[in-house]
Amino acid sequence: MDELSACVDGLWSDLKEDEQFPSKRPLLAHYTSLSTMESIFRGEEIWMSHPFLMNDDEELRWGIVEGVKRIRTNESLASTFGSASNYAAFLEAVEGAMDKEGSTNALDTYVACFCQHEKGDTDGLLSMWRAYGADGGGVAIVFDTSALVEDEESPLIIAPVSYATTKERYAWMDWALSICSKAITGFGPSANDVSVGQIAYAYFQRLRYFALFTKHAAFREENEWRVVYFPDRDEKHRYSALLSYAITQKGIQPKLKLRLGANAVGAPLLLEKAVHSILLGPTAGSLLSEHALKRMLCTLGKPALAQKVDLSSTPYRP
């Protein structure tokens, strides 16, 4: 195995495929407002957001920025590259990859957020109701990922978020950089801008994934999963027609309007099968609200979903 292949394998060796989709197929809850839920079911679309426009965008920015900065701030790193020129070339190439990413793939990377939902839970998580469920007045749409058909060519990655302290995330960066420096020294005298650049690109690609699927340990209760669209994985441009926009209170924003139902990319994804249950939030739940929600679903042509409505009994103090 050549140095580049060994480096790539090493950088991704910490990921456990048996913990990700399609090996793992959990129930995933999407907490949102009633109006957004109506739009999802009416249009049979989930609007994926740009990660820099999400509530926790600093997590992604921090991961990428610090992952690049760490090359400079880890004082012991420079000596592991075999020569000062190798180290300088690696740093320059990683910074170049970040700059290029910012003007290409980063513009059309999109994320949809969910949290793992326990079977039999008809209440949901208090923290999620507060943060994303319209302060308890919204809904949690619980999707059953066992209804999804695996598509090996899909540019979407469905995976759980890892949680780590700041110290642990710096330790991961140091581990990844040690793999890169080992690969570069392995080139020996044949190391050049091309080979070093390939290693730098491999590091940045892994760092991007790390940033998108890692959050601070303080958020561990969310047990979050993310669906992420990587434009560079969409080699056949199957999702190009889904790239769109939305005009919001914060201005115009890029969106990926992920189609569901019979018009889904690849295999159809009928909401009547994909939706496991719908939880009406603790401050929105009443017999009248339940009656109205079921009427909404029937009006939208999805009477089967009306049979999947539950009222959250979570004690809630606004």
Side-chain angles (χ1 to χ4, degrees):
M1 182 181 295
D2 60 35
E3 299 299 336
L4 177 58
S5 297
C7 177
V8 172
D9 289 347
L11 288 171
W12 294 90
S13 63
D14 61 316
L15 288 185
K16 300 177 181 178
E17 291 188 4
D18 60 348
E19 292 296 319
Q20 302 181 7
F21 179 87
S23 296
K24 192 172 183 180
R25 294 173 173 267
L27 298 177
L28 297 179
H30 182 62
Y31 289 77
T32 189
S33 66
L34 282 161
S35 60
T36 298
M37 183 209 70
E38 181 186 22
S39 297
I40 290 173
F41 290 149
R42 182 185 298 279
E44 295 195 321
E45 291 180 336
I46 289 181
W47 290 12
M48 299 177 67
S49 299
H50 193 281
F52 285 174
L53 300 174
M54 294 164 57
N55 291 344
D56 50 3
D57 70 290
E58 285 304 316
E59 293 290 331
L60 175 62
R61 292 180 187 273
W62 188 93
I64 291 179
V65 171
E66 291 300 316
V68 176
K69 187 189 299 183
R70 192 66 175 171
I71 304 171
R72 292 183 182 275
T73 58
N74 183 343
E75 296 179 356
S76 63
L77 181 66
S79 62
T80 66
F81 278 85
S83 70
S85 60
N86 283 349
Y87 170 69
F90 178 77
L91 174 60
E92 182 179 0
V94 172
E95 291 178 338
M98 181 172 68
D99 291 342
K100 183 178 179 180
E101 177 79 6
S103 61
T104 54
N105 294 326
L107 295 175
D108 275 320
T109 297
Y110 296 99
V111 178
C113 301
F114 304 82
C115 72
Q116 188 166 332
H117 187 82
E118 297 301 321
K119 189 175 183 179
D121 179 8
T122 58
D123 287 326
L125 293 175
L126 178 59
S127 60
M128 299 302 290
W129 286 123
R130 291 189 185 280
Y132 305 105
D135 202 21
V139 294
I141 307 171
V142 182
F143 292 93
D144 185 354
T145 58
S146 66
L148 301 180
V149 177
E150 182 183 0
D151 181 356
E152 294 183 353
E153 295 184 343
S154 175
L156 301 175
I157 297 293
I158 306 174
V161 168
S162 297
Y163 297 92
T165 64
T166 300
K167 182 179 180 180
E168 288 169 338
R169 287 186 286 178
Y170 278 133
W172 181 91
M173 294 170 190
D174 291 342
W175 168 80
L177 288 168
S178 70
I179 292 174
C180 294
S181 63
K182 180 180 179 181
I184 290 174
T185 56
F187 285 121
S190 64
N192 54 40
D193 289 346
V194 173
S195 57
V196 172
Q198 290 173 330
I199 299 296
Y201 180 76
Y203 171 70
F204 187 81
Q205 291 297 303
R206 181 64 183 92
L207 178 65
R208 180 182 61 161
Y209 187 100
F210 173 80
L212 282 164
F213 285 100
T214 306
K215 291 182 70 172
H216 193 277
F219 296 96
R220 194 182 303 275
E221 182 194 15
E222 295 179 354
N223 206 5
E224 184 177 349
W225 279 62
R226 289 179 175 173
V227 179
V228 180
Y229 170 75
F230 290 94
D232 49 320
R233 289 173 53 92
D234 195 6
E235 296 179 355
K236 296 183 178 179
H237 306 289
R238 299 169 67 202
Y239 285 67
S240 295
L242 310 186
L243 300 177
S244 188
Y245 67 91
I247 298 175
T248 72
Q249 293 180 341
K250 297 180 180 179
I252 190 168
Q253 299 179 357
K255 296 284 184 180
L256 186 146
K257 298 182 178 180
L258 184 64
R259 290 199 301 257
L260 308 173
N263 294 319
V265 175
L269 182 59
L270 302 181
L271 286 166
E272 290 82 349
K273 293 184 178 180
V275 173
H276 172 271
S277 56
I278 301 170
L279 306 183
L280 192 55
T283 64
S286 69
L287 291 178
L288 279 176
S289 297
E290 180 183 12
H291 177 66
L293 177 55
K294 289 181 176 180
R295 176 172 292 170
M296 174 202 292
L297 294 168
C298 291
T299 300
L300 295 175
K302 294 176 173 54
L305 293 182
Q307 306 304 314
K308 299 184 178 184
V309 174
D310 280 310
L311 303 181
S312 172
S313 60
T314 300
Y316 195 91
R317 299 180 181 86

